[in-house]
Amino acid sequence: MSYDPSPSYPHRPPPPSQQRPPYPPPLHAPAPSLHGALPWQPAEAPPYPPAAPAPTHRRAPRRAALGHHSDLRVLRSAYRWQRRTATLTALGYFTLFLLLSAYAPGFMTGSLVGTVPTGLLLALVQLPVTWLAIALYEHTARRRVDPLADRIRKEAALDARRRAAR
């Protein structure tokens, strides 16, 4: 909190040596009781247990713990890329179909093959596009995500065996 030093403000705060605490000290201390704060509590707190001995000095691990490993970040980004690719493939085609239906009704009612309207053909192509998105998801999983996950799984098993051997 500050004050206005201009002459229009008549009050000046007292110097620090004259400032008083905001609340007066209590007039009397509470009387000692035979019990603790509540009647069923003992009068004195039990002593603290002895401190645990200092841990023995062990050899530092060769690398950071698995939770902070950079492979996990790489795995997350690969999995994120995989999800985005498959999702955008399926949803992108569906969005294109909706936009053509809304803004190009002449194109959608026209026919490309015989008497079958273009809109019906594009609607039927949605099923193969969905299969393509699933195939793309599996392909990227096999190519990018699964090898990283296998390597991290093997490193975790190796770390567990090393900890059990200690």
Side-chain angles (χ1 to χ4, degrees), residues 18-122:
Q18 293 179 0
Q19 289 182 349
R20 289 180 275 154
Y23 301 106
L27 297 176
H28 58 76
S33 66
L34 299 176
H35 301 289
L38 299 172
W40 56 84
Q41 292 179 333
E44 295 180 12
Y48 290 107
T56 59
H57 206 55
R58 291 187 178 176
R59 182 175 49 161
R62 294 182 189 175
R63 57 184 168 74
L66 188 62
H68 302 289
H69 205 271
S70 65
D71 283 345
L72 289 177
R73 286 191 299 272
V74 173
L75 179 65
R76 279 193 302 265
S77 67
Y79 182 61
R80 193 177 305 126
W81 185 88
Q82 174 195 19
R83 286 185 322 222
R84 286 179 184 160
T85 303
T87 303
L88 289 177
T89 301
L91 289 180
Y93 182 79
F94 183 70
T95 304
L96 176 69
F97 178 74
L98 288 178
L99 289 174
L100 285 174
S101 297
Y103 295 109
F107 174 73
M108 296 298 273
T109 56
S111 61
L112 290 176
V113 181
T115 60
V116 179
T118 307
L120 181 60
L121 286 176
L122 291 177

